[in-house]
Amino acid sequence: MKRVLPAIVLIAGLAMTGCSGADSQNGQGEEAGNASQPAAEETPQLHPLDKDQLKQIIESTDVGGQSFKSVDMGDDAGSEAIKALESAEYEPAECKELSMTALNATTAHNGTTLAGTSADKSVSVALMSLADENAAGSQMKNPTKVADKCSEVTIKSQGIEMTMAYTTFDATVAGADETVGLRAKIDAGGQTVLNTDTVTSRVGNNIVTAANITDIGDEQTVSKTTEAFVDALKNAG
């Protein structure tokens, strides 16, 4: 798991920066856009949430009977993953800057991020609360050229070569202002180590990213997880 963790961190980074670019905008389509518009009109401007508030949301939100526990990315495992990314070789090289920018987004935008995992360790969630709605919105968009450059990424880290290929998929999350769906395949050591679906939604100045970290093979699980945390964030506001 330690060797796969850097790739999972990269997935979260790419998702949070909206690396799916124009494809993700098209992937949402009229259905997703129209569905989220009423919610956007009803959603009040939310205030930035601190780490304690995000922890309370993560650990009090139940998704289909599944509880979550917060995870500090500053711990040994998290720090090891981030250090691995910082020293890794990327192809295309532009994707390294993209992933590092994503991981440092909360600092750049005066915000807070906290991750969590489900009790059965099958789903991860990351909550990002930024200074304002514009900062959060910028994290959900990226130029089309970024998607072209990062649709397939090779990472050489700690003596291991990992490759990740991803495609966007339609994802609708009730109550969210906008949503991006990302499907990734991670190969390491000549074999596929993980197929994962990631759903990222924005609600006001807050962002939820949910991803399966085991091969559960059900994109609806991460959509339902994202929706539950979108509701929790709206109630917290």
Side-chain angles (χ1 to χ4, degrees), residues 19 91-92 94-95 144-153 166:
C19 185
E91 179 61 41
E94 293 87 346
C95 294
T144 303
K145 64 180 181 180
V146 175
D148 294 337
K149 291 177 181 178
C150 299
S151 60
E152 293 187 6
V153 183
Y166 70 88

Side-chain angles (χ1 to χ4, degrees), residues 221-235:
T221 298
V222 287
S223 293
K224 290 176 181 177
T225 299
T226 304
E227 184 172 324
F229 281 97
V230 163
D231 287 343
L233 284 167
K234 293 175 72 173
N235 290 333

Side-chain angles (χ1 to χ4, degrees), residues 22-226:
D23 288 342
S24 72
Q25 300 295 324
N26 295 334
Q28 291 179 54
E30 293 183 3
E31 179 181 356
N34 293 339
S36 63
Q37 187 61 38
E41 294 174 355
E42 297 168 5
T43 301
Q45 176 65 44
L46 301 180
H47 299 291
L49 303 174
D50 60 29
K51 191 170 184 177
D52 288 339
Q53 289 173 302
L54 295 181
K55 181 177 181 179
Q56 195 279 331
I57 290 172
I58 288 175
E59 298 190 348
S60 65
T61 299
D62 181 280
V63 183
Q66 193 76 241
S67 61
F68 284 74
K69 183 177 181 179
S70 60
V71 177
D72 188 351
M73 287 305 292
D75 64 13
D76 291 341
S79 296
E80 180 181 337
I82 293 173
K83 287 178 181 178
L85 287 179
E86 290 175 340
S87 61
E89 297 178 16
Y90 288 65
E91 179 61 41
E94 293 87 346
C95 294
K96 180 170 185 175
E97 181 179 354
L98 176 66
S99 60
M100 290 298 101
T101 298
L103 292 172
N104 295 321
T106 50
T107 300
H109 293 287
N110 191 28
T112 304
T113 297
L114 191 65
T117 57
S118 60
D120 66 357
K121 305 216 180 333
S122 66
V123 179
S124 69
V125 63
L127 304 184
M128 177 185 288
S129 187
L130 299 176
D132 54 51
E133 190 168 337
N134 289 336
S138 70
Q139 292 303 105
M140 298 289 293
K141 297 178 174 67
N142 222 25
T144 303
K145 64 180 181 180
V146 175
D148 294 337
K149 291 177 181 178
C150 299
S151 60
E152 293 187 6
V153 183
T154 299
I155 310 168
K156 294 180 181 179
S157 176
Q158 299 177 339
I160 297 176
E161 181 172 299
M162 294 176 289
T163 60
M164 183 187 74
Y166 70 88
T167 56
T168 58
F169 62 89
D170 291 349
T172 301
V173 172
D177 297 321
E178 53 184 321
T179 296
V180 174
L182 190 69
R183 179 166 293 122
K185 176 184 176 184
I186 303 172
D187 292 337
Q191 63 181 4
T192 299
V193 295
L194 183 63
N195 286 292
T196 183
D197 290 335
T198 300
V199 173
T200 299
S201 290
R202 180 182 67 82
V203 53
N205 58 311
N206 299 317
I207 295 174
V208 180
T209 298
N212 62 286
I213 49 179
T214 59
D215 287 319
I216 56 177
D218 180 12
E219 70 185 50
Q220 293 304 314
T221 298
V222 287
S223 293
K224 290 176 181 177
T225 299
T226 304

